[in-house]
Amino acid sequence: MIKKILAGVLCAATMITLSVGCSGNSASTDSTSVDPSAKITGNIGDVKLEKGDKYAVMTIKDYGDITIKLYPDAAPKGTQNFIDLANSGYYNGKTFHRVVADFMAQGGKDFTCKTDVENFGIETNYNMRHFYGALCYANAMGKNSTEFYIVNNKKSQDYDNFSTARIDNNIQGYEDYAKQYEKDSQEYTYYMFQANYYRNLKSFIANMDDATKAKYKEVGGTPSLDGNYTVFGQTVDGFDVLDKISAVEVVANDAMGGEEVSKPKTEIVIEKIEIKDYE
């Protein structure tokens, strides 16, 4: 049985993963596929739609629309995958099956397991962050497919004097566990993945510039997820809709193993997602 280490920065309840059951059905690519230091504008600073931008309008039944700017330069595979799924009508009728207040709202899962979508790796960039309203992919051991989440935490995040000592402890702890197993074992793979998870987080904290820190303070978000999930969009309108979704009554969620209280008591249905070009 795989042991669990109590994380100093993250815990099981605040990690994003694919729901229990199927994810992608086809062969996967490498877990991380881009250089995080590549020079892009990203979602730092004031985000607005400009001529030529791709954006998505997500229509939620009985709630309204959420308008999201997309970033193909930051996450080319992830953005194109989302565009293709939206244009095919895949997301029509899907739900937000997991809502955690002050964290995120997750949706887009195919509970029939009939959708054949090739898994692809994480795409990260130091200028793409988990600010309030960020659109991101949920993943399983670094593999993305169809499920996404929108960050709903509006609480100010202060990283001016953040110490990475606890992250270092987590890295060392997972590496120590990994050494107890053969390198081709499931346990070794799992523990080294977790060690790299915290190593990625440490790198993103180290590369958090003043503008990033200032925005986390101003608008909130979940900086503890930076470096390990593909951020490929940023909400520009419909924050009130996101807030309403995030405030719904939730019950025990079988899709997350039954222990997490995150399933909306009343189903939240995505009517459609339209992809548009801003003119």
Side-chain angles (χ1 to χ4, degrees), residues 167-238:
I167 296 178
D168 291 331
N169 290 338
N170 284 335
I171 294 171
Q172 187 62 57
Y174 279 117
E175 288 181 342
D176 288 345
Y177 271 125
K179 292 175 183 177
Q180 301 176 35
Y181 300 94
E182 297 294 330
K183 289 188 176 181
D184 60 351
S185 68
Q186 179 185 2
E187 290 85 357
Y188 180 88
T189 300
Y190 171 79
Y191 288 129
M192 288 307 296
F193 177 85
Q194 296 300 330
N196 287 330
Y197 184 104
Y198 285 102
R199 192 172 286 109
N200 292 340
L201 173 60
K202 181 179 179 180
S203 174
F204 267 70
I205 292 174
N207 285 278
M208 189 180 289
D209 60 18
D210 290 342
T212 302
K213 293 176 182 177
K215 186 164 182 177
Y216 270 128
K217 275 187 179 181
E218 179 185 357
V219 305
T222 54
S224 58
L225 298 178
D226 285 347
N228 290 290
Y229 301 91
T230 300
V231 181
F232 66 101
Q234 180 64 47
T235 299
V236 295
D237 193 27

Side-chain angles (χ1 to χ4, degrees), residues 124 173 195 273:
T124 60
I273 298 178

Side-chain angles (χ1 to χ4, degrees), residues 94-229:
K94 298 297 187 295
T95 65
F96 280 93
H97 60 275
R98 184 188 184 204
V99 175
V100 181
D102 300 324
F103 187 39
M104 57 87 232
Q106 183 174 340
K109 180 177 176 59
D110 176 16
F111 283 93
T112 70
C113 297
K114 293 180 179 179
T115 302
D116 187 13
V117 177
E118 181 179 353
N119 290 329
F120 54 95
I122 299 169
E123 299 168 295
T124 60
N125 188 281
Y126 294 136
N127 287 332
M128 291 299 295
R129 298 285 181 158
H130 282 79
F131 300 121
Y132 168 55
L135 174 66
C136 323
Y137 275 107
N139 72 65
M141 296 289 285
K143 299 172 185 177
N144 301 314
S145 57
T146 66
E147 290 186 53
F148 62 83
Y149 61 94
I150 305 176
V151 176
N152 64 17
N153 185 28
K154 299 165 66 174
K155 295 180 178 179
S156 178
Q157 304 293 309
D158 187 352
Y159 270 59
D160 280 341
N161 299 302
F162 185 85
S163 171
T164 60
R166 291 178 295 175
I167 296 178
D168 291 331
N169 290 338
N170 284 335
I171 294 171
Q172 187 62 57
Y174 279 117
E175 288 181 342
D176 288 345
Y177 271 125
K179 292 175 183 177
Q180 301 176 35
Y181 300 94
E182 297 294 330
K183 289 188 176 181
D184 60 351
S185 68
Q186 179 185 2
E187 290 85 357
Y188 180 88
T189 300
Y190 171 79
Y191 288 129
M192 288 307 296
F193 177 85
Q194 296 300 330
N196 287 330
Y197 184 104
Y198 285 102
R199 192 172 286 109
N200 292 340
L201 173 60
K202 181 179 179 180
S203 174
F204 267 70
I205 292 174
N207 285 278
M208 189 180 289
D209 60 18
D210 290 342
T212 302
K213 293 176 182 177
K215 186 164 182 177
Y216 270 128
K217 275 187 179 181
E218 179 185 357
V219 305
T222 54
S224 58
L225 298 178
D226 285 347
N228 290 290
Y229 301 91

Side-chain angles (χ1 to χ4, degrees), residues 241-260:
V241 176
L242 176 59
D243 292 345
K244 290 175 184 176
I245 291 172
S246 303
V248 300
E249 183 178 356
V250 291
V251 296
N253 199 332
D254 292 338
M256 301 307 299
E259 296 182 1
E260 182 181 88

Side-chain angles (χ1 to χ4, degrees), residues 62-77:
D62 298 327
Y63 287 87
D65 293 344
I66 300 175
T67 301
I68 304 169
K69 179 175 179 175
L70 302 177
Y71 291 86
D73 58 339
K77 288 184 180 179

